Amino acid sequence: RIAVGYLEALDKDRRWGPAVDILSSKDLGQLQSPDLQDITNGALWRVAWSSDGQYLYATGTWRVGSRYPIVRWGDKGLGKPKTIGGVDSVNMRLVALPRGGFVYSNQFPYFAAFSTNGRKLFENRAPVADFTDIGDQFGVSSDGLTVGFSYKSSGSDPAYFMLAEQSLGKRIKQR
């Protein structure tokens, strides 16, 4: 079996929307499609089978409120959909783990791992700088090798990057 997620496709009523198909690995004929009844927006373009083939996972631009979750179907993709996790931006990668569960990442520096039953095992969220209204916290040294910036708007979390040392650090905001 091969799972295929689409950016969007025509449904049986000829409306565009999310779609996932399960195809035969022998001839690529369509075997079935998982239940997408409650998935009415976005797309499920990233798909992965669990390592034992019992679960099908999918994610992409599908949203629940302001979150982008993962959906899991049991029974080899034919079970009821279950929503797992969710982050603040589009999920970009989804990979099954050898002992069950999956890892996913999104367009920001973020990734997380979940067990087969949907329990979060760990997450790593790298800091993202917000340059909004940072004023004099943004600057470049006269030799161009050090850049000052702030992780938070209004310059409240100043930091620097030193190219020669390839180091990133925090700095004390001067008054």
Side-chain angles (χ1 to χ4, degrees):
R1 293 173 320 203
I2 299 170
V4 179
Y6 304 94
L7 196 52
E8 64 179 359
L10 286 172
D11 66 12
K12 64 181 187 245
D13 298 320
R14 304 207 39 85
R15 290 180 301 214
W16 289 99
V20 175
D21 286 330
I22 300 172
L23 309 178
S24 165
S25 60
K26 293 179 183 167
D27 63 8
L28 297 181
Q30 183 175 359
L31 298 175
Q32 61 225 17
S33 295
D35 178 2
L36 299 174
Q37 184 174 343
D38 295 329
I39 301 169
T40 58
N41 66 66
L44 297 171
W45 54 328
R46 299 290 185 209
V47 294
W49 288 105
S50 62
S51 58
D52 63 5
Q54 294 301 307
Y55 297 98
L56 175 60
Y57 301 103
T59 190
T61 60
W62 171 54
R63 287 185 323 278
V64 175
S66 63
R67 310 280 291 163
Y68 296 85
I70 286 85
V71 62
R72 181 193 81 184
W73 296 272
D75 193 23
K76 299 180 180 179
L78 297 178
K80 291 196 66 68
K82 177 182 178 183
T83 300
I84 299 173
V87 291
D88 300 335
S89 68
V90 175
N91 292 311
M92 300 302 288
R93 188 80 168 121
L94 178 65
V95 178
L97 295 171
R99 294 186 182 144
F102 60 92
V103 175
Y104 74 98
S105 64
N106 69 14
Q107 62 192 24
F108 291 109
Y110 174 85
F111 68 94
F114 284 80
S115 66
T116 301
N117 66 7
R119 186 175 56 86
K120 188 184 295 183
L121 302 172
F122 73 86
E123 69 179 346
N124 186 340
R125 187 182 306 265
V128 176
D130 180 354
F131 298 137
T132 308
D133 297 325
I134 65 172
D136 63 359
Q137 293 302 317
F138 181 78
V140 179
S141 65
S142 60
D143 62 6
L145 296 176
T146 303
V147 177
F149 62 96
S150 179
Y151 280 109
K152 295 183 181 172
S153 63
S154 303
S156 63
D157 190 9
Y160 62 88
F161 176 73
M162 296 173 60
L163 183 62
E165 289 81 12
Q166 296 184 359
S167 67
L168 184 64
K170 297 281 187 167
R171 61 188 162 118
I172 299 170
K173 187 174 178 182
Q174 298 186 356
R175 298 183 190 260

